[in-house]
């Protein structure tokens, strides 16, 4: 699976959009980009994933660049409860154990 | 909404003792996993399990660890002789299928403290 790079921390004002970047310049054509978050040592929570197209669900939007070398997770109206560590993970179908490899993630602090 | 449940939420054990951490994955899921997170560190993969056998394991998952699906619902992680360095949060996860496009659902974890 390709490696990802994320800023270690970010701040966002409550009610504003939080834009979390991720670089994955070595991503392969069949690898998906996943986003999970972890709120204060709870179990990681799935947010969204995508392959090539931009994706949106009730939690967030995922914007993947045309060359697929980077992506941005967008929380459109961040709340205090969105304060968490956000992980960008690349995973492909050839991952034998189907596991997720977590990096350090981005610690998002949403401030009032 | 279906969820992965783990018991107990907190386990304290003496060094050298055996512990069993329990998980009930989502009912129609076929792939099961254990991860751990030492305080302040990254979430680390331990083992994946499918069709009643281990499909992949990390170097952390040595002979002291074992997994089992004793019945149709539970998935357990056993540590035979606990060490101080086994103190961590242990997370169980499950997925419906394998492959690139499938989300994993995680339990809330068991905090294991070895004293």
């Amino acid at each position: 699976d390709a490696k990802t790079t994320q800023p270690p921390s970010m701040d966002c004002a409550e009610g504003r959009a939080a834009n979390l970047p991720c670089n994955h310049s070595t991503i392969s054509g069949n690898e998906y980009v996943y986003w999970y978050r972890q709120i204060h040592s709870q179990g990681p929570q799935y947010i969204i994933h995508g392959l090539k197209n931009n994706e949106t669900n009730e939690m967030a939007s995922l914007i993947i660049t045309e060359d697929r070398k980077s992506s941005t997770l967008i929380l459109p109206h961040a709340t205090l409860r969105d304060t968490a560590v956000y992980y960008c993970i690349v995973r492909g179908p050839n991952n034998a154990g189907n596991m997720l490899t977590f990096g350090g993630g981005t610690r998002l602090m949403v401030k009032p | 909404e279906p969820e992965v449940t783990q018991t107990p939420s907190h386990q304290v054990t003496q060094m050298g003792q055996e512990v069993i951490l329990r998980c009930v994955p989502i009912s129609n899921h076929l792939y099961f996993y254990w991860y751990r997170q030492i305080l302040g560190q990254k979430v680390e993969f331990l083992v994946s399990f499918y069709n009643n056998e281990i499909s992949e394991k990390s170097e952390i998952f040595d002979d002291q660890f074992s997994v089992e699906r004793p019945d149709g619902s539970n998935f357990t992680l056993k540590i035979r002789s606990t060490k101080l360095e086994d103190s961590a949060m242990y997370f169980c996860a499950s997925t419906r299928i394998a492959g690139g496009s499938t989300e994993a659902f995680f339990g809330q974890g068991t905090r294991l403290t070895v004293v």
Side-chain angles (χ1 to χ4, degrees):
Chain A
D1 296 335
K3 190 173 177 178
T4 62
T5 304
Q6 299 178 252
S9 64
M10 291 181 64
D11 289 345
C12 177
E14 188 179 18
R16 303 297 293 266
N19 296 278
L20 293 94
C22 179
N23 284 317
H24 31 79
S25 58
T26 61
I27 192 169
S28 300
N30 59 0
E31 289 183 317
Y32 286 77
V33 179
Y34 282 82
W35 284 84
Y36 284 79
R37 73 180 181 183
Q38 188 177 27
I39 298 172
H40 188 56
S41 296
Q42 295 179 20
Q45 178 189 22
Y46 166 81
I47 302 173
I48 199 167
H49 74 282
L51 183 62
K52 295 179 184 176
N53 300 322
N54 298 336
E55 301 290 340
T56 296
N57 63 20
E58 65 277 4
M59 288 182 70
S61 294
L62 173 61
I63 309 297
I64 302 174
T65 57
E66 195 168 335
D67 63 8
R68 302 187 70 238
K69 291 185 177 181
S70 66
S71 60
T72 301
L73 178 75
I74 301 172
L75 307 178
H77 306 286
T79 71
L80 298 179
R81 289 179 296 178
D82 292 321
T83 292
V85 179
Y86 287 77
Y87 300 101
C88 170
I89 299 170
V90 170
R91 192 180 74 183
N94 298 324
N95 179 320
N98 212 37
M99 78 283 272
L100 296 165
T101 302
F102 289 83
T106 296
R107 185 172 297 277
L108 176 69
M109 181 76 72
V110 180
K111 298 184 174 179
Chain B
E1 183 175 303
E3 60 180 14
V4 176
T5 57
Q6 292 186 241
T7 54
S9 56
H10 192 183
Q11 173 97 41
V12 181
T13 188
Q14 289 203 326
M15 193 168 52
Q17 294 296 304
E18 174 184 287
V19 294
I20 297 176
L21 309 183
R22 291 182 167 80
C23 168
V24 179
I26 293 172
S27 61
N28 64 346
H29 284 192
L30 301 177
Y31 295 81
F32 315 113
Y33 315 84
W34 284 100
Y35 292 79
R36 80 170 186 191
Q37 185 175 33
I38 295 170
L39 186 63
Q41 298 187 21
K42 298 176 184 178
V43 177
E44 301 174 289
F45 167 77
L46 292 179
V47 65
S48 57
F49 190 86
Y50 167 70
N51 200 25
N52 273 324
E53 59 183 28
I54 291 173
S55 50
E56 193 73 28
K57 61 183 180 179
S58 71
E59 58 187 28
I60 302 169
F61 194 89
D62 60 22
D63 292 344
Q64 293 299 311
F65 291 89
S66 63
V67 289
E68 193 178 35
R69 187 154 162 84
D71 53 42
S73 59
N74 291 285
F75 178 51
T76 62
L77 174 69
K78 182 193 291 185
I79 309 175
R80 286 189 183 80
S81 177
T82 50
K83 308 183 189 74
L84 295 177
E85 54 265 37
D86 294 327
S87 295
M89 284 290 291
Y90 288 80
F91 296 108
C92 174
S94 68
T95 59
R96 188 171 59 83
I97 58 175
S101 180
T102 180
E103 61 263 39
F105 292 82
F106 285 79
Q108 289 306 296
T110 293
R111 181 174 299 282
L112 177 65
T113 303
V114 182
V115 297

